[in-house]
Amino acid sequence: MRSVWNGAVSFGLVSIPVKTYSATERTASVSFVRIHEKDGGRIHYRKVCELDGEEVPNEEVGKGYQAADDTIVPITDEDLARLPLPTTKTLTILAFVGADEIDPLQLDKSYFLGPNGVAAAKPYALLREALEHQEKVAIGKVAMHGRETLAMLRSHDGVIAMHTLLWPDQIRSARAVAPSDDIEIRESELTLAETLMDSLGELDESELHDDYREAVEELVAAKLEGGEPTAPRAAPGTGGKVIDLMAALENSVRAARESRGEGGGEAGAEQDEESASVTPIRGRKTAKKAAAKTASGGGAKKTAAARKTSGSAAKKTASGKASGGSGGKKAAAGGGSGAKKAAAKTAKSTAKKSTAKRSGKKASA
C-alpha cells in the first residue's frame, strides 16, 4: 500500500514516527461515466480558465482561497507548510476516552497507522497495547489534505487504526426529522419488537456482498450479448400500505424463526390489548430485561398462565350462564336427572288439573 501521509504521533514526551495508509477500498463500487444520450459519445469535463477561455493542464492547477469580497488569494504548498501549526506533521493526543463516548455520526474516513522505521516499532506497539488493555481510544488533532481535523486512534487487528472525525459543530440537529413526542408505544408492541430483534440472530459477514453491483454487471453482460436483461425479482414489502403493526411484528418473528430452522410456532405472548399498559417509549428503561425474559422462556410461562386463567374464567362464565347465575356446576353435573324429575312433576300436575276440570263439568251437568 502507498502511504497518504507521513508524520508522528505525539504521546506525551514520546514521539512515534508513523505512515498513514487508507483503510478502505472503493474501487469495487459501481461507477458510471457520462455520455451523450443522442449518439452515446463520452462526455469529458475540461478545466478551463475563465479569463482566457483556454484549457488548463493539471500541472498548472493550483490552490486559491476565496475571500469575503470574492477576491481569490493564491495559496501554495509552501505557504501551508510554514503555518505555525504543530498538527501539520504531528498528531497530538489530547485525551483518552471510552469508545462509547464518540458519536458514530462524527466518524469520517478510516486509515491504518504503521510504524515508520525500526526505532518506531516499540513505542508504536506500546501505544497499541495500552489502548487495547485500557479499552479506550485516543483523541487528537491532525492536519491532512489541507485541513485540520479531529482524529481518533484505536487498537484494531494488531495495528493502530485512525478515524478522522467531524467537528462537533458539523453535526446537524436531528430535531427537524424526529417524530412527534406524543406518539405512544404499547408494551405488547415493544415486547414483540424486542423478540424480533432476538430472533434475527447474529450477523454473518461472509454473506454480505454488493447485490446492486452484481445486478449491474449482469445487466451489462446481457446488453453486450445483445439479449434482454432478466426481469428483476419483486422485493417483499407492503408497497407503502398501512399495515397492522402487531400482525407484521408477529409474522416477522415467525419468519425469522423459520429461516433459522426453529419452526414458526407462536410469534410471542398473546396479550390482552385492552389491559396492556401504554408506556411512552422514551420512559422505558427495562427493554433489555424484557427481551432477556422473553428469549429465556419467561414470556412463554406467562403466556401459559394467562391462557390457563382465561380458560378457567371462560368455563366459569359458561357455567354461570347455563345455571342462570347460581348452582351452575351442580346443574351442569346433574342436568340429566334434574330434567327427568321436572318432567315427571309437570306431567302429574297436568293430569290433576285435567281430572279436576272433568269433575267440574260432570257436576254442572
Side-chain angles (χ1 to χ4, degrees):
M1 292 188 290
R2 183 178 64 87
S3 63
V4 296
W5 181 83
N6 294 343
V9 175
S10 176
F11 178 28
L13 298 178
V14 179
S15 180
I16 309 171
V18 294
K19 288 186 176 183
T20 305
Y21 308 88
S22 179
T24 57
E25 181 63 65
R26 298 182 180 272
T27 57
S29 60
V30 176
S31 178
F32 298 101
V33 297
R34 297 185 180 273
I35 63 171
H36 187 192
E37 291 184 349
K38 183 178 180 180
D39 53 20
R42 178 82 177 269
I43 295 178
H44 294 276
Y45 292 93
R46 295 181 172 87
K47 301 179 180 65
V48 178
C49 177
E50 65 178 13
L51 296 180
D52 55 22
E54 296 182 359
E55 185 175 355
V56 181
N58 288 331
E59 56 270 17
E60 295 182 11
V61 176
K63 298 183 183 68
Y65 185 88
Q66 186 171 0
D69 58 354
D70 293 337
T71 302
I72 302 298
V73 180
I75 301 294
T76 65
D77 292 337
E78 291 75 15
D79 295 333
L80 297 176
R82 288 193 296 266
L83 288 176
L85 290 176
T87 57
T88 54
K89 285 296 181 181
T90 302
L91 190 157
T92 305
I93 295 178
L94 304 176
F96 293 89
V97 300
D100 57 351
E101 297 184 34
I102 304 301
D103 191 334
L105 286 175
Q106 285 189 258
L107 297 177
D108 192 9
K109 296 182 179 180
S110 302
Y111 302 89
F112 291 143
L113 298 184
N116 189 2
V118 178
K122 186 171 182 177
Y124 176 94
L126 175 62
L127 176 59
R128 180 198 62 197
E129 294 299 319
L131 291 171
E132 184 172 355
H133 184 264
Q134 291 292 322
E135 297 182 350
K136 291 187 175 183
V137 297
I139 304 298
K141 293 197 301 182
V142 64
M144 293 179 60
H145 308 304
R147 63 188 181 95
E148 187 178 57
T149 181
L150 287 173
M152 179 183 76
L153 304 183
R154 67 184 181 94
S155 176
H156 170 76
D157 200 17
V159 301
I160 297 176
M162 181 180 75
H163 304 273
T164 56
L165 304 177
L166 300 175
W167 297 99
D169 59 359
Q170 292 180 288
I171 305 300
R172 294 178 175 176
S173 173
R175 294 299 301 170
V177 297
S180 175
D181 292 336
D182 59 0
I183 295 178
E184 294 182 347
I185 303 298
R186 291 182 180 271
E187 189 77 12
S188 56
E189 294 171 340
L190 188 56
T191 301
L192 265 180
E194 293 169 354
T195 303
L196 176 58
M197 293 169 62
D198 294 334
S199 301
L200 290 177
E202 298 179 356
L203 183 65
D204 186 0
E205 294 187 0
S206 63
E207 296 181 358
L208 300 179
H209 56 279
D210 191 347
D211 294 324
Y212 182 74
R213 178 173 59 86
E214 293 179 0
V216 171
E217 291 175 351
E218 293 177 2
L219 171 64
V220 173
K223 286 183 172 289
L224 288 175
E225 295 175 359
E228 292 294 329
T230 57
R233 293 174 294 180
T238 61
K241 297 180 181 179
V242 178
I243 60 174
D244 184 344
L245 181 58
M246 289 294 291
L249 288 171
E250 291 173 354
N251 293 336
S252 300
V253 172
R254 187 178 299 109
R257 289 176 175 173
E258 288 177 352
S259 65
R260 294 167 57 189
E262 297 181 3
E266 294 294 332
E270 295 180 359
Q271 303 184 20
D272 186 357
E273 291 190 8
E274 295 181 355
S275 62
S277 60
V278 179
T279 307
I281 192 171
R282 292 179 180 272
R284 180 176 173 85
K285 297 182 180 180
T286 58
K288 295 184 178 179
K289 293 182 179 180
K293 288 183 179 179
T294 304
S296 62
K301 292 181 180 178
K302 291 182 179 179
T303 304
R307 288 178 179 171
K308 187 174 181 180
T309 303
S310 61
S312 62
K315 289 181 180 179
K316 289 181 180 179
T317 304
S319 300
K321 290 181 179 179
S323 61
S326 64
K329 291 185 178 179
K330 293 182 180 180
S337 60
K340 290 180 180 180
K341 291 179 180 179
K345 289 181 179 180
T346 304
K348 288 181 180 180
S349 176
T350 304
K352 288 180 179 181
K353 290 180 180 179
S354 300
T355 305
K357 287 181 179 181
R358 289 175 183 175
S359 299
K361 288 180 179 180
K362 290 181 179 181
S364 62

